[in-house]
Amino acid sequence: MLEKIDFVKMHGLGNDFVIVKSENLLSSQRNLKQVAMEISNRRTGIGCDQFVVYEKIRTSYYNMTLYNIDGSFVKICGNAARCLAKLISDETGEKEFTIKSTIKDLKCRINEHTVTVNMGKVSFQEPWMPSMEKIRSVIEPFAEDLSNLICVDVANPHLVIFGIFTESNKLLVGKKLQNLEYFEDGVNVSFVTIKDNKIHVFIWERGAGPTLACGSAACASFASSLKFGLVESPSEVIFTLGNISMSEQNGDLLMTGETTFVAEGKYYHYF
């Protein structure tokens, strides 16, 4: 049987998403993991880093559900929230509202050319975080210089590495860390260098691999850079295709950046 699913594709600095209203998924609701894997495939599907399903709960309050390209569940994604916020605003005219992720309510504000999302607070002490000495011993052989590393919880797990690596070794380390017993559910890995109060980030996302940008990685990198006294607030996080502005207000992290519409249409789902 054939189901035609209306979709919108957007990206935030190259971090791309296929976004679908929950009401447009009929039989697909029974196996969203499989649908996510099919749609996100860049050869046989539409292609994206994450698949986003959303619905309106009540006035100015929306729910967002996220899937990686391997079908795994994503707790939070700042770039997806920014893209979805822009889409909702264009559809409804609302300029301020809340998007609910799995464990956080994300307050969104639509600016003239950008979208701001309050990502809330991060944590540097959680049960899932392993000893940094153990992780350092795994990473150090691949580094030209390794100055520091730290785990950050942004509702999803991040490891931020401050050091110098070749591009090929970033890929090796990112992949290697997914298979360690220390990170049972995988970990998002940010390779960070600092220059002139700007944070340059290369990101490996669990369940997706290397991506051009990641909102929660921007938060993790900014928060850890603040903690080590390497930058001041506000600061810019630099990705391959552009920047995300980060600031701290009363412990909350505010992320501001551009979003881009790519396409809209119908995806043919056979079941």
Side-chain angles (χ1 to χ4, degrees):
M1 296 180 65
L2 171 65
E3 176 185 8
K4 298 179 182 180
I5 302 173
D6 291 323
F7 74 90
V8 174
K9 181 169 179 175
M10 300 181 67
H11 77 81
L13 304 181
N15 190 195
D16 59 341
F17 311 95
V18 171
I19 306 173
V20 174
K21 283 184 179 180
S22 179
E23 65 191 50
N24 291 333
L25 294 167
L26 301 176
S27 60
S28 307
Q29 290 279 12
R30 292 194 296 270
N31 193 356
L32 281 178
K33 177 179 178 179
Q34 183 62 36
V35 174
M37 293 171 65
E38 293 173 5
I39 283 181
S40 61
N41 189 298
R42 296 192 185 276
R43 291 186 179 274
T44 59
I46 302 167
C48 60
D49 291 326
Q50 274 101 28
F51 175 57
V52 183
V53 180
Y54 77 102
E55 62 180 334
K56 183 175 182 177
I57 304 300
R58 58 179 182 270
T59 301
S60 299
Y61 193 75
Y62 299 83
N63 184 70
M64 173 179 71
T65 306
L66 303 164
Y67 298 87
N68 280 318
I69 60 176
D70 63 358
S72 59
F73 189 61
V74 184
K75 290 183 178 179
I76 196 170
C77 178
N79 280 338
R82 288 193 303 109
C83 287
L84 178 56
K86 176 60 175 173
L87 177 61
I88 290 171
S89 179
D90 282 8
E91 290 178 341
T92 67
E94 293 180 89
K95 298 299 182 183
E96 294 191 15
F97 46 88
T98 298
I99 295 176
K100 180 185 183 298
S101 67
T102 305
I103 57 176
K104 278 189 179 182
D105 281 355
L106 307 175
K107 295 181 179 179
C108 305
R109 183 180 72 246
I110 310 301
N111 312 308
E112 185 174 0
H113 300 296
T114 59
V115 177
T116 298
V117 175
N118 185 331
M119 296 289 288
K121 294 175 173 59
V122 304
S123 171
F124 297 101
Q125 291 186 327
E126 295 294 333
W128 65 264
M129 296 178 179
S131 160
M132 288 299 96
E133 287 75 16
K134 293 179 180 178
I135 303 303
R136 178 180 284 271
S137 67
V138 174
I139 296 172
E140 209 153 26
F142 299 93
E144 295 180 9
D145 175 69
L146 180 60
S147 58
N148 220 329
L149 62 159
I150 190 170
C151 285
V152 189
D153 195 295
V154 191
N156 52 15
H158 284 262
L159 174 66
V160 181
I161 303 171
F162 295 85
I164 306 298
F165 296 77
T166 64
E167 294 303 308
S168 60
N169 278 351
K170 289 176 185 177
L171 298 175
L172 286 172
V173 171
K175 186 175 183 178
K176 188 178 185 67
L177 289 170
Q178 308 310 308
N179 299 318
L180 290 184
E181 61 180 353
Y182 308 129
F183 300 114
E184 293 183 0
D185 298 321
V187 65
N188 300 289
V189 185
S190 293
F191 297 87
V192 171
T193 55
I194 308 290
K195 184 178 181 181
D196 299 329
N197 203 51
K198 291 181 170 57
I199 305 165
H200 298 258
V201 178
F202 175 92
I203 176 66
W204 177 288
E205 292 194 60
R206 62 171 183 167
T211 59
L212 293 174
C214 173
S216 59
C219 294
S221 300
F222 173 66
S224 54
S225 298
L226 275 181
K227 183 177 177 66
F228 291 138
L230 301 175
V231 299
E232 297 178 351
S233 177
S235 178
E236 297 287 319
V237 178
I238 315 299
F239 291 105
T240 303
L241 298 183
N243 307 346
I244 290 178
S245 298
M246 295 295 310
S247 62
E248 184 270 334
Q249 293 183 8
N250 300 318
D252 287 350
L253 300 186
L254 274 63
M255 177 179 62
T256 301
E258 297 180 348
T259 62
T260 303
F261 286 95
V262 177
E264 61 181 348
K266 294 183 183 294
Y267 174 72
Y268 285 23
H269 172 59
Y270 296 90
F271 61 98

